[in-house]
Amino acid sequence: MARFAHTVAVAALDRGWFEEAAGALVDLLDASREGPGGTVVLADGRAVEGLRLLKGRHLRPGARYGEVPAAREGAGKAGTAAEAADGPAALVSGAGDSPVTPSSVVLRAWRPSHSVEAESLVVEDGMSLKAGLRLSEPRRPRAVELSLAGHQPGGGSLYRFSGRGKADLAA
């Protein structure tokens, strides 16, 4: 297996803008709640379009968020048997006979005063891609860590890859 290490210098992002945006997003999500049917509802009562809590408790480690795909043609109003038995989570977990595997985001940590960590898994056309993000002190970010891993069985010489990055925002 080949390993590469490299340091990259990038142009600075306006720190004030980034801190304000990160803090506003964390505050917005922190004030949100779970609504009917797993919808995510903001403090002003508006639902976040296209986002559903699929599994777990809102803003708790292990909570899985995503979008439930529309019922397939011919499934009728009741949906698939898997959806009827296990709810929307059955479609995301791959249960049932749905050929669509939507992407989802799993919250690994939600401590707005310390760190926020999320992981996303996307499976499409036989390739799986997992991306992770960890933000230290999200209301006034001090560090960000990114990870990416992919796997494509039968993908030739590049059937598996991964990478990690870390930025010290306090520097």
Side-chain angles (χ1 to χ4, degrees):
M1 175 192 326
R3 291 191 181 265
F4 302 96
H6 189 66
T7 302
V8 177
V10 294
L13 181 64
D14 179 27
R15 183 171 181 81
W17 176 87
F18 181 73
E19 285 179 357
E20 185 178 331
L25 180 61
V26 168
D27 290 341
L28 186 70
L29 291 173
D30 206 26
S32 68
R33 61 182 169 78
E34 180 184 355
T39 59
V40 176
V41 179
L42 301 175
D44 64 3
R46 291 179 298 145
V48 178
E49 186 68 33
L51 183 65
R52 299 271 187 267
L53 175 65
L54 303 172
K55 184 178 180 184
R57 293 181 57 205
H58 180 57
L59 295 182
R60 299 284 189 251
R64 181 179 301 273
Y65 298 90
E67 185 174 5
V68 177
R72 295 182 314 155
E73 280 187 39
K77 290 185 180 181
T80 65
E83 185 176 4
D86 297 326
L91 293 173
V92 173
S93 67
D97 57 359
S98 174
V100 178
T101 305
S103 61
S104 63
V105 175
V106 177
L107 192 62
R108 296 292 178 206
W110 182 262
R111 298 172 295 195
S113 60
H114 183 264
S115 68
V116 172
E117 187 174 349
E119 182 178 273
S120 178
L121 176 64
V122 178
V123 178
E124 189 172 315
D125 296 331
M127 180 174 186
S128 65
L129 184 65
K130 184 164 65 170
L133 171 72
R134 182 175 192 274
L135 192 59
S136 297
E137 298 184 35
R139 287 197 170 103
R140 188 173 170 100
R142 297 188 50 79
V144 64
E145 296 175 38
L146 301 166
S147 64
L148 179 68
H151 177 68
Q152 183 171 5
S157 60
L158 186 61
Y159 71 95
R160 186 178 302 249
F161 61 89
S162 63
R164 292 184 303 198
K166 183 175 181 177
D168 181 4
L169 303 175

